[in-house]
Amino acid sequence: MPIQATIYIGAIVAAGLASLAHGIWIWDPQDPVRFLTYCAIALVASGMKVALPGVTGTMSMSFLFVLIGVSELGLPRTLVMGCLGMLVQCVFQAKSKPRPVQVVFSVASIACSIEACYQVYRLVAQTGSLEAPLKLLFAAAAFFLTNTLSVAMVIALTEAKNPWTIWRESYFWTFPNYLVGATIAWAVAAVSRSLGWQTSLMVLPVLYFVYRSHSLYIHRLENEKQQAEGQRIHAEEVAKLHRRTIETLALAIEAKDQTTHDHLERVEIYAIEVAKELKLDESQMEALRAAALLHDVGKIAVPEYIISKPGRLTPEEFEKMKTHTVVGGELVERIRFPYPVAPIVRSHHEKWDGTGYPDGLVGEKIPIGARILSAVDCLDALATDRQYRRAMPLHEAIKVVQKEAGKAFDPAVVEILARRYVELEQMAKSANSMDKTKLSTDLKIARGEAPAAGFQATPGSANNDLVNFHNSIAGAEKRAHALAGLMGAMGKCADREQILQSLRESLNGLVPYDVMALYLRHGERLLPEGLDGEDYRLFASLEIPLGMGLSGWVAENRKSIINGNPSVEPGYLNDPSKFSMLGSALAVPLEHRDSVVGVLSLYRKDRDAFHPQELSSLLSFSGTLAQALDLTAEHAGELRHA
């Protein structure tokens, strides 16, 4: 027990015992029947106790007989009656057995309170100007203050709490009960003087009514407190769920862009500290906290080859990259946060002078959270290694950001960053607030046979690489001769039929195949216009939608496929009549004037039959073929361009 609590308890016990001893010393033996009757009722009332919210103490109805005793029995008998009542209150049906020091302190405390109550009653009575009800009201107030404050103080000292908070939350609301008790005590005294003290026994039903009312009131308070606590816990769980959802989405970004793992946490710390200096309200702070983790979530919609490109983006690639702000805002909007996160995510690449994207907002029209995030994001990006450059030292990175104050960034935000960047970096390094779990994107799983989904197979051994190397040397001269002849023939073709005939005669010498299919684009579909080989009839009736199957994927994505599965072509896979032994495919897009004219697909019976050198040969030839097809189509008026 703290020394302050020991001293305080000792003082109260000494004062209480002295007061009780003095009362017994001046005991008045008159009217013992009345005293014993009141004392018996007081002891019964002491058993009518209710728990107080927030503390381990209880409150009983015996305080009513303290007030009756002060006006009717005098100090000595009231002291004895009150102390006996407190003893019963402490030990009768106690939830836990009280320690002796607790019992002694409670009895001594009630003795001090009765002494204060009696002295105030007598002092007010000496004025002669107040009626009996007002005298008892003053006495009740004195008893309430001394009794509740002494208990609140000892709880505060022993449990290291604020005494004012304990008294206000656990005792202050009981004050009206003491005033009601003063009114009842005056009524009992008035009836006793008019009709005899025995009639005061009629107070028992009133006493029980007060007890039941008070118990129900306490019970309702406890239920409300439990409901409020349940709502608080639920709110905390929802907040934690939001946080976990945000961090999960942040991990999804990390799976797409490996540079963001620590970047997100640092940006959050920097941004929140800047927001505190700018005195953002709680809603704005929570929105910024979420946006700091989710501002790049729109990169999920950006092709990975753009995100991970180890060089400057082309204008077309940058246009695609810029869409991550809009897509990110749309994704975050779907979460329906209770605070405005989506505008920050959408606007975190806006610039103070209006030259940013996607909306060209100017100055304070940019959300304050986006202004903070923009500067912080840039500072951390400059100080972090990226695919296309090395990291700058932090003191140089902040100079770059300062130069952009008033142009790209809010000057007020930059001023805070320039003043505190060293401190904020230390906070970021020491922080461990975010789960560092990384997704298993680099895991290699040995089990499971790869499906024939249309992608190049990895060579199985170094021997395969060696064989491929020798084959490439042996066939290099032959392929070069065949390629030169085929490209020369394409330049002399006057119509499409001549082009197809040249392919049938010369292409097999460049890239051997079992079936050749030249699909030409008609609107949103590919139709086989030139076929050759033993099983060419299997492909003659195909109509391949763009994006579907092997050749449709090549046309839509403008990317080649080597050693794909021929059976995934729409109309081929589920037709039993089209069964064949074809096992691999090589397909390249035919592009001219920034549009796809068609797809040239070659098929072989063996799996993984095509080599990278053969793909290179087709790619070298595909542009010439596409141009020839496009020009002959213009002359004939047969093809529509996408």
Side-chain angles (χ1 to χ4, degrees):
M1 185 181 298
I3 186 63
Q4 298 93 332
T6 303
I7 295 173
Y8 177 77
I9 291 173
I12 293 295
V13 169
L17 293 179
S19 180
L20 181 59
H22 177 258
I24 295 174
W25 179 260
I26 61 172
W27 180 270
D28 181 4
Q30 295 180 359
D31 205 356
V33 175
R34 183 181 184 185
F35 166 72
L36 292 175
T37 302
Y38 279 175
C39 189
I41 298 174
L43 295 180
V44 173
S46 297
M48 299 179 182
K49 55 185 179 180
V50 292
L52 295 172
V55 294
T56 57
T58 59
M59 174 183 172
S60 73
M61 297 297 104
S62 63
F63 73 90
L64 176 61
F65 286 88
V66 169
L67 297 176
I68 293 174
V70 164
S71 62
E72 296 295 309
L73 300 178
L75 178 61
R77 284 178 283 185
T78 303
L79 279 168
V80 173
M81 184 171 60
C83 290
L84 289 175
M86 177 54 67
L87 190 61
V88 171
Q89 182 178 334
C90 288
V91 299
F92 179 70
Q93 291 185 344
K95 291 184 178 180
S96 59
K97 185 178 180 181
R99 293 181 296 170
V101 66
Q102 292 175 315
V103 176
V104 173
F105 175 83
S106 298
V107 172
S109 176
I110 201 73
C112 293
S113 300
I114 293 172
E115 182 77 33
C117 175
Y118 179 80
Q119 297 302 332
V120 169
Y121 181 81
R122 191 178 67 169
L123 181 63
V124 173
Q126 289 176 354
T127 62
S129 59
L130 297 177
E131 299 295 331
L134 291 178
K135 298 175 186 176
L136 283 171
L137 287 176
F138 277 105
F143 181 77
F144 164 75
L145 289 173
T146 53
N147 186 35
T148 57
L149 284 174
S150 64
V151 177
M153 181 61 70
V154 76
I155 293 174
L157 291 174
T158 54
E159 299 182 9
K161 296 180 179 179
N162 186 294
W164 168 253
T165 301
I166 295 173
W167 182 77
R168 186 183 69 250
E169 294 180 354
S170 301
Y171 293 100
F172 177 71
W173 58 271
T174 64
F175 182 55
N177 295 313
Y178 286 83
L179 299 182
V180 172
T183 303
I184 296 174
W186 169 78
V188 170
V191 170
S192 296
R193 286 191 292 270
S194 301
L195 302 176
W197 68 266
Q198 293 86 351
T199 56
S200 63
L201 298 179
M202 295 176 60
V203 77
L204 283 174
V206 176
L207 183 66
Y208 182 75
F209 174 76
V210 172
Y211 164 70
R212 288 297 301 165
S213 300
H214 194 65
S215 297
L216 292 174
Y217 178 62
I218 292 294
H219 184 67
R220 187 171 73 252
L221 282 180
E222 284 297 318
N223 286 340
E224 291 176 355
K225 182 180 179 181
Q226 291 177 1
Q227 291 176 0
E229 182 67 13
Q231 292 173 352
R232 183 189 65 79
I233 294 174
H234 177 68
E236 288 181 353
E237 287 298 320
V238 170
K240 291 178 181 178
L241 177 61
H242 275 156
R243 178 71 183 186
R244 289 194 296 270
T245 301
I246 293 170
E247 292 184 358
T248 300
L249 287 173
L251 283 174
I253 305 168
E254 180 197 346
K256 189 82 170 180
D257 181 1
Q258 294 295 324
T259 65
T260 60
H261 180 60
D262 295 324
H263 168 69
L264 295 175
E265 185 179 20
R266 290 195 302 271
V267 166
E268 180 187 5
I269 293 171
Y270 274 57
I272 292 301
E273 291 301 315
V274 172
K276 289 177 181 177
E277 282 219 21
L278 292 175
K279 294 182 171 52
L280 270 63
D281 61 36
E282 188 63 28
S283 175
Q284 291 174 313
M285 294 277 282
E286 290 301 319
L288 180 58
R289 196 183 303 275
L293 294 176
L294 295 178
H295 65 279
D296 279 336
V297 70
K299 288 184 178 180
I300 291 175
V302 180
E304 188 172 353
Y305 76 89
I306 294 178
I307 293 175
S308 58
K309 185 176 181 180
R312 297 182 66 88
L313 300 181
T314 66
E316 295 77 15
E317 290 169 341
F318 185 56
E319 286 301 315
K320 186 65 177 177
M321 177 65 83
K322 287 193 290 186
T323 62
H324 85 275
T325 56
V326 177
V327 173
E330 292 171 347
L331 288 173
V332 171
E333 185 67 34
R334 300 283 295 178
I335 300 177
R336 300 183 184 274
F337 284 103
Y339 26 79
V341 181
I344 301 177
V345 173
R346 181 184 178 91
S347 302
H348 76 278
H349 279 292
E350 299 286 358
K351 293 186 177 181
W352 184 259
D353 60 6
T355 60
Y357 61 87
D359 303 310
L361 301 180
V362 180
E364 294 186 357
K365 291 184 179 180
I366 305 171
I368 181 60
R371 281 181 264 152
I372 295 172
L373 198 55
S374 174
V376 169
D377 190 30
C378 178
L379 175 63
D380 191 73
L382 290 172
T384 305
D385 284 330
R386 293 297 169 92
Q387 302 99 321
Y388 46 87
R389 58 160 172 77
R390 299 291 295 172
M392 287 186 181
L394 191 59
H395 67 276
E396 293 182 12
I398 193 64
K399 290 179 181 178
V400 175
V401 173
Q402 285 180 290
K403 289 179 181 179
E404 293 297 315
K407 291 184 287 185
F409 308 126
D410 184 343
V413 175
V414 174
E415 187 277 327
I416 296 172
L417 283 176
R419 176 164 38 88
R420 296 188 57 192
Y421 73 94
V422 175
E423 171 196 354
L424 297 180
E425 181 63 15
Q426 291 300 321
M427 292 175 62
K429 287 181 178 179
S430 60
N432 191 29
S433 60
M434 184 175 176
D435 185 1
K436 298 294 185 181
T437 302
K438 288 179 64 69
L439 299 179
S440 302
T441 54
D442 298 325
L443 179 66
K444 184 175 181 180
I445 300 176
R447 296 181 59 82
E449 184 178 352
F455 297 97
Q456 180 181 353
T458 301
S461 67
N463 289 334
N464 286 341
D465 291 337
L466 186 60
V467 170
N468 291 339
F469 177 70
H470 285 296
N471 288 341
S472 66
I473 294 176
E477 184 177 350
K478 179 180 178 182
R479 286 194 302 273
H481 179 74
L483 180 60
L486 191 55
M487 293 180 71
M490 288 295 104
K492 299 176 182 179
C493 293
D495 56 41
R496 189 174 60 191
E497 187 56 40
Q498 290 182 359
I499 294 174
L500 298 178
Q501 185 61 33
S502 296
L503 286 175
R504 294 186 187 99
E505 293 175 354
S506 305
L507 184 58
N508 213 336
L510 179 65
V511 181
Y513 59 79
D514 294 310
V515 175
M516 180 270 289
L518 175 63
Y519 301 100
L520 298 185
R521 182 172 179 176
H522 292 258
E524 296 300 312
R525 308 181 76 81
L526 296 175
L527 301 180
E529 299 286 344
L531 297 168
D532 187 37
E534 182 179 343
D535 293 328
Y536 77 90
R537 292 181 181 82
L538 298 174
F539 300 88
S541 61
L542 299 187
E543 293 186 8
I544 303 175
L546 292 187
M548 300 294 292
L550 185 145
S551 298
W553 184 93
V554 169
E556 182 175 65
N557 293 278
R558 302 187 182 190
K559 295 182 182 297
S560 302
I561 280 183
I562 184 170
N563 292 323
N565 183 3
S567 65
V568 301
E569 300 287 25
Y572 181 100
L573 179 63
N574 298 319
D575 190 342
S577 67
K578 294 181 178 179
F579 175 79
S580 77
M581 297 300 292
L582 296 177
S584 57
L586 173 63
V588 296
L590 304 178
E591 299 180 72
H592 185 240
R593 296 178 182 175
D594 200 31
S595 65
V596 175
V597 176
V599 175
L600 178 60
S601 298
L602 306 181
Y603 306 96
R604 287 186 189 169
K605 294 179 180 179
D606 297 332
R607 289 176 60 88
D608 301 331
F610 293 98
H611 300 289
Q613 295 89 342
E614 293 170 332
L615 172 60
S616 298
S617 297
L618 277 193
L619 290 174
S620 300
F621 162 68
S622 62
T624 302
L625 175 59
Q627 182 180 12
L629 290 169
D630 202 17
L631 291 175
T632 56
E634 285 183 357
H635 293 314
E638 295 178 352
L639 296 177
R640 297 193 307 270
H641 297 292

